[in-house]
Amino acid sequence: MVTTATDVAPPGNPYRDGCPSRRILDRIGDRWTVLVVGALGDGSVRFSELLRRVEGISQKMLTQTLRGLERDGLVARTVFPEVPVRVEYRLTHAGRTLREPLTALREWAVAHLGEVSTSQAAYDTGA
Amino acid sequence: MVTTATDVAPPGNPYRDGCPSRRILDRIGDRWTVLVVGALGDGSVRFSELLRRVEGISQKMLTQTLRGLERDGLVARTVFPEVPVRVEYRLTHAGRTLREPLTALREWAVAHLGEVSTSQAAYDTGA
DNA sequence: CGGAATCCATGTGGATACTG
DNA sequence: CAGTATCCACATGGATTCCG
């Protein structure tokens, strides 16, 4: 059987060039989305708290990532007009559905860390 | 309860700055890895066939993605010294374990395509 | 056929400074 | 506190050309 991009996957086919599902995969595939979604967890989390939870993320990237997720309807942003201002983020229902696949990914990464590192070392030595 | 990056996740903590699991997530988070792994499926696939299956990928990027996966021990490369040369790629056992979480991701993307697009349109209109 | 090498445009993201 | 704005360095990745 000869398989092509046309029939290798169901409708909403990310293998197709123009398919919008590509864009979604691209967004998930940025440096921080996976971690930010994970860091949000079940609760409402403040901006500064997220900044602390996701080590190494800059304030600019956290803002940008949150805006993207908000635009996608995956994160809700609430401003409490106190002084000083308090802003909390939490996953929407749709956002929570994303947690499962992303958690699986993170767990895969952690579980196969050693295996992958070993393989890399062997490859670099000149396999 | 106050949660920090230190206790928000188990050992091999991708939320920690220097953790190697970060690198793995970064690799998965490139433009093509998810699609290439999916396109490999169960079988042995030729380079040119992959190029056709994953629409829009350039030859350079396919090569680069495959090299990365090979280095990680997720893909095996076999050269058949015929004329002209034939090269086939297939997922290793470790590579196949990655398929499940990635498939879940792709399916999430396809399933939530409409929802996300609608939200984006609303956001852009000025929500 | 399956690359490797090169060149170059663009995007991503970090550092810093400033604001409501 | 939670951003916004700017500048800039580097990585990503596309197009093209050449090779075993």
Side-chain angles (χ1 to χ4, degrees), chain B residues 61-100:
Chain B
M61 280 304 106
L62 179 56
T63 299
Q64 190 170 302
T65 302
L66 287 168
R67 288 292 172 279
L69 287 167
E70 197 189 351
R71 187 173 106 99
D72 291 348
L74 304 176
V75 158
R77 177 176 181 266
T78 311
V79 181
F80 298 86
E82 310 168 347
V83 184
V85 150
R86 177 165 55 107
V87 181
E88 297 199 340
Y89 295 89
R90 61 186 195 79
L91 292 174
T92 61
H93 174 71
R96 281 190 292 277
T97 67
L98 180 55
R99 279 178 52 194
E100 200 169 330

